[in-house]
Amino acid sequence: MKWEIIDKATTFIAEEMGVLLKRAALSPNIRERMDHSCAIVDSEGRIVAQAEHIPVHLGSFKIAVKNVLPYVSSETVIFNDPYISGTHLNDIGLITPVFYHGKLVAYVINKAHHVDVGGPVPGSINPNASTIYEEGVVIPPLPLGKEVIEIIKENFKTPEISLGDLNAQLAANNLGVKRLVELFDKYGVENVLSAWEKSIEHTKALLPKWERGVYEAEDYLEWKDSLLNIKVKLIVDEEKIIADFAGTHPQIDGPLNAVLGVTYSSVSFAIRSAIGKDIPTNDGFYSFIEVKADEGLLVNPRKPAAVGGGNVETSQRIADVTFLALSQFLPIPAAGSGTMMNVMMGGIHNGKYWAYYETIGGGSGARPNSDGVSAVHVNMTNTMNTPIEVAESSYPILYTSYKIREGSGGRGKFKGGDGIIRSFIALDKMKL
């Protein structure tokens, strides 16, 4: 059927945007690790297609688009405010409206993790931050113009790298606009819009009919000398799943708070994984999931609470506790390494500031009928590694080992996946 062809073509446009973004970016974090995501949105703000990129980005687009659309008129808009974008300051988003014969018909959007967006520490994820102002520069939704570029030049610690990545993001959106116009030319704008509508309805028809019930689970996140509980009640209905986080620990005076977009991403990732079959990632799927979390909780903090670590650590535990609830009626793997394992370092080398960021990963949990997988990214991160040769040629670092941490995954009927050892020597004075 023609609508299916149009649906696949739209998804491939998002994928092609991602390929261009990767190729054009300057930072190894995007160019090598592919720490970015792209999506196509209709004029109503519904996601109609996404590329299979970073889980913590993808679910957050639903929150980001809703929040950003009021600021979009005819120009590309830039944003990174976590309470609007749905992730953390490092994820700079660009959204571009798509016009066809003068009529607004769609938007293209992408996010990319910029290695450094200012603030006191390299990598801009400050373990001592209590507000977002101690993490980096907050960019409210603004037209992407000279003024924003000047702010970036004066406040980001590696501005030439960030501006290169930003140009790659802009090129990706411009390509998305071009390809969508070509799609409208080929099939007719009404046919394309109708195909998107049918795709959303088709996705809804593919959603599982799980047995109705209420399933509760609780897990904990370590913070200093205390344990922060994350509690979820999954209410499985015929039409949707509601994840209620009542009883979760209040927000803290530290960076492990997760904005609502991160919480939504984590829940939707776990549910999508548990469905166990390939379904299109569009509004049809997202309409299946509702997240309830009172403002002021660890999983939905009040601005300006710090949230950098919520994106990379708390997101993992939210996914884990959602899986734990799902395990009460579905075959679910054991919890994985429970962390993205972020390493950030930077300093002055040869008279110029540099910043390095990487998500290392770990092992996945034992599966119901087989061992876990060793040395992978689990749950909310889906990035690649930075090749040692690239890192050593870009930064004053010398690697001494990169290997699987044998036997670290835990024993049982089926073993957990083993973790990773990645060690290096600093060749210049730096902050780690």
Side-chain angles (χ1 to χ4, degrees):
M1 292 176 64
K2 184 182 287 187
W3 76 263
E4 292 173 305
I5 295 172
I6 294 172
D7 176 51
K8 292 296 183 185
T10 307
T11 300
F12 286 135
I13 290 171
E15 295 282 1
E16 189 181 4
M17 287 170 62
V19 171
L20 175 61
L21 210 170
K22 165 184 162 58
R23 286 182 170 180
L26 288 188
S27 69
N29 191 56
I30 299 172
R31 190 180 72 241
E32 304 290 342
R33 295 188 56 243
M34 296 180 66
D35 198 343
H36 63 270
S37 300
C38 303
I40 312 296
V41 180
D42 71 8
S43 60
E44 297 175 29
R46 298 180 302 172
I47 295 163
V48 294
Q50 288 184 324
E52 297 294 338
H53 289 146
I54 313 299
V56 77
H57 288 175
L58 295 176
S60 72
F61 277 145
K62 178 179 172 66
I63 305 293
V65 169
K66 176 184 175 183
N67 291 338
V68 172
L69 279 193
Y71 299 91
V72 183
S73 54
S74 60
E75 301 174 272
T76 294
V77 166
I78 183 174
F79 56 94
N80 82 333
D81 183 336
Y83 292 87
I84 292 176
S85 71
T87 46
H88 59 173
L89 287 174
N90 296 80
D91 292 332
I92 293 182
L94 292 186
I95 185 167
T96 305
V98 183
F99 295 92
Y100 190 71
H101 296 322
K103 181 183 178 183
L104 175 67
V105 289
Y107 301 88
V108 291
I109 186 171
N110 71 60
K111 276 186 182 181
H113 182 117
H114 288 240
V115 167
D116 199 290
V117 292
V121 302
S124 303
I125 301 177
N126 183 358
N128 299 311
S130 57
T131 70
I132 54 174
Y133 310 121
E134 293 135 47
E135 295 182 313
V137 177
V138 182
I139 304 173
L142 292 169
L144 181 59
K146 291 181 180 179
E147 295 84 357
V148 176
I149 300 301
E150 290 302 317
I151 290 172
I152 290 173
K153 282 182 179 179
E154 293 300 322
N155 289 279
F156 287 20
K157 293 193 283 293
T158 55
E160 65 285 344
I161 299 294
S162 283
L163 291 176
D165 289 346
L166 198 60
N167 281 329
Q169 289 181 257
L170 185 59
N173 272 14
N174 288 341
L175 176 67
V177 172
K178 179 183 177 184
R179 292 287 186 258
L180 283 175
V181 170
E182 291 171 352
L183 195 68
F184 298 142
D185 285 340
K186 183 173 183 178
Y187 294 107
V189 66
E190 294 304 325
N191 287 331
V192 171
L193 298 181
S194 175
W196 291 351
E197 191 71 48
K198 288 178 180 176
S199 176
I200 290 172
E201 292 305 314
H202 174 68
T203 300
K204 289 180 180 178
L206 293 175
L207 294 171
K209 301 296 182 184
W210 287 330
E211 186 175 346
R212 297 176 66 167
V214 178
Y215 308 91
E216 297 187 47
E218 189 171 24
D219 206 342
Y220 298 84
L221 195 68
E222 299 96 338
W223 173 245
K224 297 184 177 179
D225 297 324
S226 61
L227 293 175
L228 313 177
N229 77 307
I230 299 176
K231 187 175 183 179
V232 70
K233 179 191 290 184
L234 280 188
I235 303 164
V236 180
D237 207 337
E238 292 178 357
E239 300 298 324
K240 64 170 61 178
I241 291 182
I242 301 170
D244 189 342
F245 286 90
T248 293
H249 197 282
Q251 67 186 68
I252 63 169
D253 189 24
L256 291 185
N257 304 294
V259 293
L260 190 60
V262 167
T263 302
Y264 186 89
S265 290
S266 304
V267 171
S268 59
F269 162 77
I271 292 171
R272 168 91 186 265
S273 301
I275 287 174
K277 62 181 177 182
D278 188 29
I279 60 172
T281 310
N282 59 33
D283 192 77
F285 166 67
Y286 290 126
S287 64
F288 183 52
I289 299 161
E290 181 182 341
V291 171
K292 290 184 176 181
D294 290 339
E295 197 175 56
L297 296 180
L298 187 72
V299 295
N300 185 19
R302 291 187 180 91
K303 190 176 182 177
V307 297
N311 198 79
V312 297
E313 295 300 307
T314 312
S315 64
Q316 298 286 68
R317 199 52 39 83
I318 296 168
D320 281 343
V321 75
T322 306
F323 276 129
L324 186 58
L326 290 166
S327 73
Q328 295 175 36
F329 65 98
L330 292 171
I332 297 292
S337 55
T339 175
M340 290 191 189
M341 189 53 233
N342 288 259
V343 172
M344 296 168 290
M345 56 188 112
I348 305 293
H349 182 63
N350 293 334
K352 196 172 187 180
Y353 193 89
W354 64 278
Y356 165 91
Y357 168 90
E358 183 165 18
T359 303
I360 305 296
S364 71
R367 291 169 282 187
N369 55 4
S370 60
D371 293 343
V373 181
S374 297
V376 292
H377 288 285
V378 297
N379 289 0
M380 301 310 295
T381 177
N382 188 35
T383 51
M384 302 170 74
N385 73 170
T386 301
I388 287 172
E389 299 82 359
V390 171
E392 289 184 340
S393 65
S394 303
Y395 310 108
I397 305 168
L398 176 67
Y399 283 84
T400 57
S401 70
Y402 186 27
K403 59 186 179 182
I404 293 175
R405 188 179 168 214
E406 301 285 352
S408 62
R411 300 174 65 182
K413 181 179 180 181
F414 298 110
K415 296 183 293 184
D418 290 334
I420 298 171
I421 295 173
R422 192 152 160 92
S423 47
F424 41 78
I425 292 173
L427 301 180
D428 202 344
K429 185 178 179 181
M430 65 174 68
K431 182 180 282 189
L432 170 68

